[in-house]
Amino acid sequence: MEDIDAIAALQDPVRRRLYEYVAAQGREVGRNEAAEAAGVARTLAAHHLDRLAEVGLLESGSRRLSGRSGPGAGRPAKVYTRAQAELSVSLPARDYRTAAELLAEAAEQAGLDAGLCAAARRRGEVLRGSAAPCRGLEEAMEMLAARGYEPHLEGAEDAKGGSGAAVSVVRMRNCPFHAVAERFPPLVCGMNLALLEGLFGTDGPVRARMDPRPGECCVVVENSKNNID
């Protein structure tokens, strides 16, 4: 029942704001920055951040925020990042992860990748409903956020001809299928891509494509005109 205690720690509104801010940054956050973002005093922020670390929602460390080293660089400051552990609560107890892993194992052994992707694309279309294909990256980010992907906009170098022109790419800090994707990456990542293709539509101004990067979802979303195939 430790997960319940951890999740219950977010009931405090200040603590929840601090957790959400740190989780959204995708990097280490110091106490001063977190306090300013949450609109509270540093001492109060420090108390709540340490509590979040105690229950396993955040990980803490220390580094010099000035970026300097040696004499005069100042003492290391305490910093926080979101913990990698996955927490969940189900009453009564359920074990959907084991079922998902068994189904993924069976699908992989039977070579059902194409069938799974087709089903995922249809599900994405059902989730989109009668709406037109996604109209742009801003709308795509709203749709991704609603499904727990934690999207963020990132500038990337356009690979087309090495022009160096900046293009916008939506990356996602969270994969809703992370636990199963770790064990069956080709199968589950392909399913994820097909799901988003169905959700956004394949004939609109945005497209989803594979671009794996450690610690993030394997799929990115960008303007269709960035297609370099």
Side-chain angles (χ1 to χ4, degrees):
M1 303 296 280
E2 292 180 0
D3 285 5
I4 292 180
D5 294 334
I7 294 171
L10 296 174
Q11 184 175 2
D12 184 283
V14 173
R15 195 173 292 160
R16 183 164 185 168
R17 288 203 304 273
L18 288 165
Y19 172 77
E20 290 175 344
Y21 179 77
V22 173
Q25 303 315 301
R27 57 174 173 78
E28 294 176 329
V29 175
R31 287 172 168 175
N32 288 340
E33 179 186 348
E36 184 177 352
V40 298
R42 183 184 184 279
T43 52
L44 181 61
H47 166 74
H48 285 306
L49 289 166
D50 285 340
R51 176 58 182 159
L52 290 168
E54 287 174 8
V55 298
L57 290 170
L58 296 180
E59 295 176 356
S60 63
S62 62
R63 67 177 177 87
R64 289 187 173 90
L65 298 178
S66 66
R68 303 193 307 269
S69 61
R75 291 166 46 184
K78 200 162 188 178
V79 292
Y80 303 85
T81 57
R82 179 169 59 182
Q84 296 300 308
E86 184 176 316
L87 305 178
S88 63
V89 173
S90 176
L91 298 173
R94 297 289 186 261
D95 189 6
Y96 299 115
R97 178 185 295 183
T98 296
E101 290 178 347
L102 289 171
L103 289 169
E105 182 178 354
E108 188 174 75
Q109 291 178 352
L112 300 178
D113 305 55
L116 177 61
C117 287
R121 194 170 290 106
R122 289 194 298 269
R123 175 58 64 90
E125 292 170 352
V126 170
L127 292 172
R128 176 160 52 94
S130 59
C134 185
R135 292 168 293 185
L137 292 183
E138 185 174 345
E139 183 177 324
M141 290 182 70
E142 292 176 0
M143 297 168 72
L144 291 166
R147 302 202 62 79
Y149 283 91
E150 299 182 9
H152 64 101
L153 195 63
E154 178 182 274
E157 290 300 310
D158 184 1
K160 194 182 299 183
S163 64
V167 297
S168 295
V169 176
V170 175
R171 293 190 177 272
M172 294 162 268
R173 293 194 174 97
N174 183 52
C175 172
F177 316 110
H178 174 73
V180 188
E182 275 196 320
R183 289 196 57 189
F184 308 95
L187 182 76
V188 179
C189 292
M191 176 201 75
N192 188 18
L193 175 62
L195 177 71
L196 295 182
E197 287 175 342
L199 183 64
F200 296 140
T202 55
D203 55 352
V206 303
R207 68 157 188 164
R209 64 175 174 86
M210 288 286 193
D211 188 12
R213 192 162 76 175
E216 293 191 337
C217 180
C218 60
V219 179
V220 299
V221 179
E222 63 184 8
N223 291 318
S224 295
K225 63 184 180 181
N226 298 335
N227 195 325
I228 60 175
D229 295 338

